[in-house]
Amino acid sequence: MTSANQVKKNGNIRAKSQVKILTAARTEFVLQGYRGATVQSIADRAEMPKANILYYFKNKENIYHAVLEHTLEMWDEGIGDIEADKGPKVAIEKFIEAKVRMSFKHPEASKIYAMEIIQGAPHLKDYARTYQRQWVREKAKLFQQWIDNGEMANVDPVHLIFLIWSATQHYADFETQILTIMNRADFEEDDVQQVITFLCDIILRGCGLIK
């Protein structure tokens, strides 16, 4: 009979192996694209036998879906709930900070998502049509409520969300360009905070929340 400790140990091994595989897969999909990446190249990068990869994921498409799902879950957890009683200023600051920090910490995740969307979202159409569309509608409705109550300027709520998405993810998707122009090898924590402060200032001013 398998002990509880053994079950827990096996679960930890499985979780660590999956994280290792998905980390390697993210890099391969960014560098090679979906078509160019292979299960073997992912295995080589993860320094694991190909058979081990296929033990956890039945094929490349399965791995790719897992990478996308992990990215979306990470974004959801990072942003969390936007609460009406906290007001628009707190909501926008929280939204911007969460997206900026994720862009700097997990740039590859954002790049894969961007590549997927540019290619017509072949693996994310259902997600975009259902969950993501509903998420935007709910948040836009909340922003519109604040606008109607006179708590912020009369801006288009949907385009405000698009603006925050594009401005924050730019630092992940165009990481190489930004570092080259800034003549830097990598970003530092001060850079992250500077971007958060800058974007919050510009967007909050545009929404009439600060002067």
Side-chain angles (χ1 to χ4, degrees):
M1 185 175 180
T2 305
S3 68
N5 286 339
Q6 186 62 44
V7 170
K8 183 177 180 181
K9 181 179 179 182
N10 291 342
N12 288 339
I13 292 173
R14 182 181 185 85
K16 288 179 181 179
S17 295
Q18 288 178 328
V19 168
K20 190 175 182 180
I21 293 167
L22 294 180
T23 299
R26 271 196 297 270
T27 302
E28 281 300 300
F29 287 133
V30 167
L31 294 177
Q32 310 298 337
Y34 177 76
R35 292 185 179 181
T38 65
V39 175
Q40 185 60 61
S41 67
I42 293 169
D44 292 343
R45 187 170 292 277
E47 298 182 336
M48 297 172 67
K50 181 179 177 180
N52 285 29
I53 306 294
L54 295 174
Y55 173 78
Y56 294 106
F57 302 96
K58 63 181 180 180
N59 52 39
K60 181 176 74 172
E61 185 176 19
N62 197 235
I63 299 172
Y64 186 65
H65 283 173
V67 168
L68 289 173
E69 286 173 10
H70 183 261
T71 297
L72 299 173
E73 288 170 2
M74 179 176 61
W75 284 350
D76 275 352
E77 291 172 4
I79 295 170
D81 294 326
I82 296 179
E83 302 171 47
D85 61 344
K86 296 293 179 63
K89 183 174 182 292
V90 172
I92 291 172
E93 287 174 335
K94 179 182 177 183
F95 192 3
I96 291 172
E97 180 170 3
K99 288 295 278 99
V100 168
R101 291 197 178 280
M102 282 185 281
S103 290
F104 279 95
K105 189 174 181 180
H106 304 286
E108 291 179 337
S110 181
K111 290 173 185 175
I112 292 171
Y113 181 81
M115 290 165 65
E116 170 71 13
I117 297 301
I118 288 169
Q119 292 167 15
H123 300 88
L124 281 178
K125 280 185 179 176
D126 287 342
Y127 166 82
R129 289 170 180 163
T130 55
Y131 176 82
Q132 193 172 43
R133 183 182 291 171
Q134 184 61 30
W135 189 94
V136 171
R137 284 176 177 172
E138 288 176 358
K139 301 305 179 283
K141 184 178 179 180
L142 183 54
F143 281 121
Q144 189 62 54
Q145 179 183 317
W146 286 323
I147 291 168
D148 294 341
N149 291 341
E151 297 179 62
M152 61 182 288
N154 186 16
V155 299
D156 186 302
V158 174
H159 287 292
L160 173 59
I161 293 171
F162 291 161
L163 173 62
I164 293 173
W165 278 350
S166 60
T168 55
Q169 287 174 225
H170 177 82
Y171 291 91
D173 301 342
F174 291 86
E175 175 187 28
T176 301
Q177 180 189 58
I178 293 170
L179 288 172
T180 301
I181 292 171
M182 294 175 67
N183 195 26
R184 302 277 288 278
D186 206 347
F187 293 116
E188 298 176 1
E189 176 57 31
D190 286 348
D191 298 316
V192 180
Q193 193 56 55
Q194 184 179 16
V195 170
I196 292 170
T197 301
F198 173 76
L199 291 180
C200 282
D201 183 73
I202 291 291
I203 293 174
L204 290 174
R205 285 179 191 278
C207 291
L209 293 168
I210 58 173
K211 295 180 180 180

